[in-house]
Amino acid sequence: MIESDFILKDFEVLNVSNGSVTWKTPSNIALVKYWGKQEPQIPENTSISFTLDACFTLTNLEYTKKEKKSEDFNFEIFFEDKKKEAFKPKIQQFFQRIEQYVPFLKDYDFVIKSRNSFPHSSGIASSASGMSALALCIMSLEKELNPTISEEYFNKKASFLARLGSGSACRSIEGELIIWGNHSDIKGSSDLFGVKYPYEIHGNFKNYHDTILLVDEGEKQVSSTVGHQLMYNHPFAKQRFNQANNNISKILEVLQNGGLKEFIAIVESEALSLHAMMMTSNPYFILMKPNTLKIISKIWEFRAKTGSNICFTLDAGANVHVLFPEKEKEIVNNFIISELIQYCQENHYICDRIGQGAKQITI
Ligand code: DP6
């Protein structure tokens, strides 16, 4: 599909005067990372992620048709029951980017009410779940205006719109494994939206666990958006994008054949390569904290000692995502509790696992 396929034409706002819709949308964790992009939110390399389950955003969108279409977007935003003016510019920018595809936005007054299942200050990226939830709410309104759209189109366009809010958000519409970015090995893959991993997923990766160790719950010193920009003129950019695309080819096979050792090698290398890009940017920066490294070395020690298939990944922050197969959950959980949570801020951690994607909620 191409960009123009996502422009809504021939709709009639008169038919839909007001309503309300709610979506519950998960976060995701990338196994092969997206770091570096071109306008408009086109990734420099393909990425793949596990959709999560316990970390989600719940967003309600109320819409009321205006007497007359206005010049600007009208919306109020509440986060965890409090009016949140600080979120307005990001949403205003999102509306501007998506208006050409959903040309009814200025026909309605909106009230957006959002909350996260995870603590706001946890350092967990909320843009993926937050932007995908809002994109899905807008798609529900589009479906009211144009009830003939198929579920497939609905999901693709939701992912397409979410991408324009935050790149990784396009991987938060469906489960369990989502690929974003055009790749020669994956038919139907696209830079414009996420697609489901197209093959059978080996039993080893069913119900995979992700326990998130909250090492640093503060604001990040460098946002992802700035980090992406620093990949322009980065001395290792080209090699990094090639490495990621090669890792996609490798992981596609591993996810089918169940090779846990190969999985670990790819996923940990991806996490460290991402942070290596940060450390070699101009200006350089480090998002890991001393406790991030302590946890990593403890994981390596434990793996060497027990032969466990535990591994880690990182996103753009200090928190550590501890990944492990369902059949090792007891031994790994015991290890996490006895040896790792001491490195978390106030012993905080979140037990999550691979999930099935967003759900519309009826209230
Ligand atoms: C390190 O999707 O947050 O988590 O598109 O600027 O909103 P924007 O960036 P964002 O970047 C996520 C980067 C990452 C890796 C990943 O999720 O693939």
Side-chain angles (χ1 to χ4, degrees):
M1 284 179 87
I2 56 167
E3 233 173 305
S4 55
D5 295 331
F6 293 111
I7 301 174
L8 173 65
K9 300 176 200 103
D10 306 327
F11 63 99
E12 192 49 88
V13 284
L14 278 177
N15 298 339
V16 182
S17 58
N18 60 58
S20 162
V21 61
T22 303
W23 278 90
K24 177 182 164 194
T25 305
S27 186
N28 68 72
I29 181 68
L31 303 171
V32 173
K33 311 286 181 181
Y34 145 60
W35 199 244
K37 61 179 167 182
Q38 303 277 342
E39 283 291 328
Q41 298 280 96
I42 300 297
E44 291 277 15
N45 62 263
T46 309
S47 58
I48 183 167
S49 54
F50 273 151
T51 304
L52 295 179
D53 184 48
C55 290
F56 61 82
T57 297
L58 197 65
T59 297
N60 168 261
L61 179 75
E62 264 173 46
Y63 45 93
T64 313
K65 207 180 105 34
K66 296 172 185 169
E67 295 271 297
K68 195 167 153 274
K69 189 175 181 130
S70 58
E71 290 286 293
D72 210 349
F73 307 110
N74 280 71
F75 62 94
E76 296 288 346
I77 165 106
F78 294 83
F79 183 71
E80 269 145 27
D81 298 324
K82 289 197 194 76
K83 214 169 187 178
K84 209 63 186 178
E85 293 298 319
F87 287 0
K88 275 197 146 176
K90 185 128 203 196
I91 295 182
Q92 173 80 20
Q93 186 195 37
F94 177 52
F95 282 178
Q96 272 160 0
R97 283 194 190 155
I98 65 172
E99 192 193 7
Q100 54 175 311
Y101 309 104
V102 280
F104 51 82
L105 290 181
K106 286 180 180 154
D107 288 293
Y108 290 89
D109 285 320
F110 294 110
V111 180
I112 305 160
K113 292 183 187 143
S114 208
R115 60 178 66 250
N116 290 339
S117 66
F118 44 92
H120 178 49
S121 59
S122 61
I124 296 182
S126 56
S127 66
S129 52
M131 282 300 174
S132 53
L134 187 53
L136 282 158
C137 289
I138 291 167
M139 279 311 294
S140 289
L141 173 53
E142 170 164 332
K143 195 166 167 63
E144 287 268 308
L145 295 164
N146 181 15
T148 58
I149 56 177
S150 67
E151 194 185 330
E152 193 191 344
Y153 180 83
F154 183 99
N155 283 337
K156 273 203 176 129
K157 185 164 173 183
S159 176
F160 173 88
L161 297 179
R163 181 195 106 242
L164 293 168
S166 177
S168 55
C170 79
R171 301 188 311 238
S172 271
I173 307 293
E174 296 179 275
E176 304 175 305
L177 273 162
I178 303 293
I179 297 160
W180 170 40
N182 185 22
H183 194 284
S184 53
D185 291 358
I186 313 146
K187 218 169 140 250
S189 59
S190 170
D191 287 345
L192 303 179
F193 47 82
V195 297
K196 274 165 105 86
Y197 173 78
Y199 312 112
E200 187 68 34
I201 302 171
H202 190 278
N204 283 350
F205 299 107
K206 292 276 172 198
N207 243 337
Y208 223 70
H209 290 253
D210 177 6
T211 297
I212 309 163
L213 304 180
L214 304 176
V215 171
D216 183 25
E217 305 193 30
E219 279 274 308
K220 280 186 271 180
Q221 307 108 305
V222 182
S223 71
S224 292
T225 305
V226 171
H228 284 290
Q229 275 163 10
L230 294 174
M231 290 305 284
Y232 288 116
N233 302 322
H234 190 292
F236 307 131
K238 204 161 154 248
Q239 294 90 327
R240 164 60 199 152
F241 304 143
N242 283 337
Q243 176 198 35
N245 285 329
N246 290 336
N247 278 340
I248 288 283
S249 301
K250 287 188 200 156
I251 208 165
L252 288 178
E253 290 210 359
V254 167
L255 291 165
Q256 287 173 85
N257 67 28
L260 288 164
K261 296 282 174 264
E262 294 86 345
F263 177 81
I264 293 170
I266 297 166
V267 168
E268 291 191 346
S269 163
E270 273 291 315
L272 295 178
S273 299
L274 168 72
H275 284 257
M277 289 302 109
M278 300 174 190
M279 291 192 255
T280 48
S281 292
N282 182 13
Y284 45 79
F285 59 104
I286 301 180
L287 295 183
M288 291 185 285
K289 298 281 181 199
N291 281 352
T292 312
L293 297 179
K294 284 194 183 130
I295 292 169
I296 292 174
S297 67
K298 282 274 176 194
I299 289 174
W300 285 348
E301 252 174 51
F302 180 75
R303 200 161 69 212
K305 203 167 69 194
T306 63
S308 160
N309 289 297
I310 185 174
C311 74
F312 73 87
T313 188
L314 307 166
D315 55 20
N319 297 332
V320 183
H321 289 249
V322 184
L323 303 177
F324 50 97
E326 166 78 6
K327 59 174 187 278
E328 293 184 23
K329 68 176 177 215
E330 256 148 57
I331 110 159
V332 174
N333 276 332
N334 289 339
F335 163 65
I336 290 174
I337 291 164
S338 62
E339 307 242 9
L340 299 185
I341 59 169
Q342 57 179 307
Y343 300 112
C344 298
Q345 205 167 329
E346 294 175 40
N347 292 347
H348 284 167
Y349 66 103
I350 299 171
C351 294
D352 210 337
R353 60 172 66 202
I354 195 164
Q356 300 301 322
K359 283 202 168 55
Q360 188 170 357
I361 307 286
T362 30
I363 32 175

